[in-house]
Amino acid sequence: MGCRKRAPVTDLLRVVARDGTLVPDPRRRLPGRGASLHPTPECLRTAERRRAFLRALRLPGGGSTPVEAGPLRDHVLGAPSPAPAGNGARTGDSTRTSTARTTTAPTQTDPRPVGPHVESRTSSDEQAVKSPR
């Protein structure tokens, strides 16, 4: 979608819109219209610049309504979302306390692994077996 290059579906990341937010769907299971994107920062930036998500997902508003790409950006870039201001960290000799807080926050907020997704087959992925009638 961003770079417009063809690739096997297994190399692409599916993206869906949920309540005005772009959500990554690496397992390709979420309902609704999806768009495929290379899971690279360059392809994501190109898609955002071209407003390709609005067209590909057929979102209402025709480009005037902004769409939030935070969860998708976090998934592709592999960086946790920034911590909210006022988390109690002070300047001076309390750097150990603030460091401990920032290292524990990502594990509590997002338990999913970050980075390229590798799908494994499960029993639900197998094709249905036809039984004689």
Side-chain angles (χ1 to χ4, degrees):
M1 195 173 65
C3 63
R4 302 175 80 187
K5 292 180 184 174
R6 290 183 177 254
V9 72
T10 56
D11 294 345
L12 301 174
L13 174 66
R14 183 173 187 257
V15 179
V16 295
R18 292 283 198 185
D19 300 322
T21 303
L22 296 175
V23 179
D25 183 17
R27 296 186 66 215
R28 308 183 78 76
R29 300 284 192 268
L30 293 177
R33 185 173 183 86
S36 295
L37 170 82
H38 286 102
T40 62
E42 298 82 25
C43 195
L44 175 63
R45 283 188 209 106
T46 304
E48 287 178 317
R49 183 176 45 82
R50 291 179 48 236
R51 297 187 192 131
F53 293 111
L54 295 170
R55 286 190 305 273
L57 297 173
R58 296 185 183 167
L59 298 174
S64 63
T65 307
V67 61
E68 174 61 37
L72 174 62
R73 201 174 290 122
D74 291 345
H75 181 82
V76 171
L77 300 178
S81 56
N87 62 358
R90 286 172 258 160
T91 59
D93 60 347
S94 64
T95 55
R96 269 184 266 149
T97 305
S98 65
T99 303
R101 286 184 185 153
T102 56
T103 57
T104 58
T107 56
Q108 294 173 355
T109 57
D110 192 9
R112 295 171 296 176
V114 178
H117 177 73
V118 178
E119 283 193 36
S120 62
R121 291 184 63 103
T122 61
S123 60
S124 62
D125 292 338
E126 301 295 327
Q127 293 182 354
V129 178
K130 290 186 178 181
S131 59
R133 291 187 183 185

